[in-house]
Amino acid sequence: MNLRHLAYFAVVAEELHFRRSAERLGITQAPLSLAIQALETELGARLFHRTRRTVALTEAGHALFDDARGILSRVEMAKENVWQTVSGQVGRLRVGFTNSSSLSPFFPRLIHAYRTQRPGVQITLRELSSLQQIESLDTRELDVGLLRLPPEAPASVHELVLTPLFEEALLLAVHAGHRLAKKRAVCIADLRGEPFIAYPRQAGVALFTQMLALCEKRGFTPEVVQEAQQASTLIGLTATGLGVALVPASLRAIAVPGVVFRELSDDDTTTTLYIAHRRGDANSRAQQFAELAATVQ
């Protein structure tokens, strides 16, 4: 059934006057009459009783009018749904984030701002290491990621649009009674021979590989005596005096008695948080989320 003919029929059924219906539709009466005739021929039933003075619906016309309104309403709803999806107003968005990035004040501000602007979008948050996020973006299990770039990133990272959001300093987390706690600032070379608490090597955490690279640049390999999957666990273990840890400044938010944070004087001890999404992705929600992230402070 031709939707245009059905729409013409619905207008005539409402107006019960061909001239007014044609004016409302912005056409002349001739094509309107032809459209109604074509619809009647297709259905094998008369839809209107027409005289010189009056137009009235037949029984078949009444039956079609009830269905036509529902059909045309659903067509408009379908158009609206497509528009909302294309414009990023509805749908789903799968966002990856690292454990440490969730502790930055930036993270809750971004998520709250997006949910406020796009209440119709179902947002799913997944805590993953930076390397896991890169892999999940490649396999389309994520739409967008908040991550740090490992020094040796996989080749698939070149298929991503990476936008730097902010840079933060790395700090030394150390027991309050440690010799380095007495210094205002520490350099990486001061950590030679110190036991380290760190994220697991195999977890794909960019901060681990950065720590390794920083130490090796100074001619030593850090001795990791204890691993921790979570940032809070890492800080908590530092309080035991088992070792020292290099952490982003946002982890200062984890206040644990007995742990102090010291600045690093080296000029290469910063870490950058990026927002990443697939290059050329048709998902407008990912692009909008990335654009919003660049404006949130």
Side-chain angles (χ1 to χ4, degrees):
M1 185 180 296
N2 188 304
L3 283 176
R4 181 169 58 85
H5 290 173
L6 194 63
Y8 285 2
F9 161 77
V11 171
V12 176
E14 289 172 359
E15 295 288 346
L16 294 177
H17 195 286
F18 272 75
R19 180 180 57 77
R20 288 199 302 267
S21 297
E23 290 173 353
R24 180 173 155 187
L25 291 166
I27 60 175
T28 61
Q29 288 190 56
L32 177 58
S33 296
L34 289 173
I36 298 301
Q37 290 172 16
L39 185 59
E40 289 177 328
T41 300
E42 180 181 0
L43 294 174
R46 286 189 64 191
L47 301 174
F48 295 99
H49 292 299
R50 297 177 65 177
T51 68
R52 284 177 175 266
R53 295 176 178 270
T54 63
V55 176
L57 284 166
T58 64
E59 185 177 0
H62 277 292
L64 179 61
F65 190 34
D66 290 338
D67 288 335
R69 284 183 294 190
I71 292 168
L72 293 170
S73 175
R74 285 192 292 275
V75 168
E76 289 304 310
M77 187 181 300
K79 290 179 181 178
E80 178 69 13
N81 288 342
V82 169
W83 178 84
Q84 288 186 349
T85 300
V86 171
S87 66
Q89 298 293 327
V90 297
R92 67 171 182 169
L93 184 70
R94 299 162 299 176
V95 179
F97 65 97
T98 63
N99 178 258
S100 61
S101 67
S102 67
L103 296 168
S104 167
F106 162 84
F107 182 75
R109 285 200 293 263
L110 170 60
I111 301 304
H112 182 267
Y114 185 79
R115 293 184 69 238
T116 301
Q117 290 187 15
R118 298 285 187 272
V121 176
Q122 179 186 351
I123 186 168
T124 303
L125 302 173
R126 292 185 61 193
E127 183 184 331
L128 297 168
S129 72
S130 295
L131 185 58
Q132 288 170 333
Q133 287 188 58
I134 292 170
E135 293 170 349
S136 295
L137 285 164
D138 183 49
T139 57
R140 297 185 175 272
E141 296 173 74
L142 282 183
D143 300 308
V144 66
L146 295 164
L147 53 85
R148 305 175 197 275
L149 276 182
E152 295 182 3
S156 58
V157 77
H158 299 297
E159 300 303 316
L160 302 178
V161 177
L162 290 156
T163 304
L165 296 176
F166 62 86
E167 186 178 78
E168 61 181 327
L170 287 177
L171 302 178
L172 178 71
V174 63
H175 187 275
H178 194 281
R179 64 178 180 86
L180 295 175
K182 299 177 177 61
K183 301 181 70 170
R184 276 185 113 180
V186 179
C187 61
I188 297 295
D190 292 334
L191 305 180
R192 184 189 299 270
E194 290 290 337
F196 278 75
I197 301 170
Y199 293 103
R201 177 190 291 268
Q202 67 275 15
V205 179
L207 289 169
F208 175 86
T209 50
Q210 184 178 8
M211 175 199 74
L212 200 62
L214 287 170
C215 293
E216 290 181 344
K217 184 178 177 181
R218 273 79 179 176
F220 71 97
T221 300
E223 180 190 0
V224 177
V225 297
Q226 181 65 51
E227 295 180 340
Q229 294 277 0
Q230 302 295 321
S232 56
T233 306
L234 191 148
I235 300 300
L237 289 172
T238 304
T240 68
L242 276 174
V244 301
L246 291 180
V247 299
S250 53
L251 263 61
R252 270 182 168 156
I254 305 175
V256 177
V259 177
V260 296
F261 298 91
R262 291 293 176 260
E263 294 181 359
L264 295 166
S265 57
D266 308 80
D267 58 9
D268 57 349
T269 51
T270 58
T271 178
T272 302
L273 186 71
Y274 292 85
I275 188 159
H277 62 93
R278 287 180 295 276
R279 193 179 303 280
D281 198 334
N283 185 341
S284 59
R285 294 174 295 280
Q287 179 67 35
Q288 290 164 354
F289 186 85
E291 290 173 356
L292 177 63
T295 67
V296 172
Q297 299 298 321

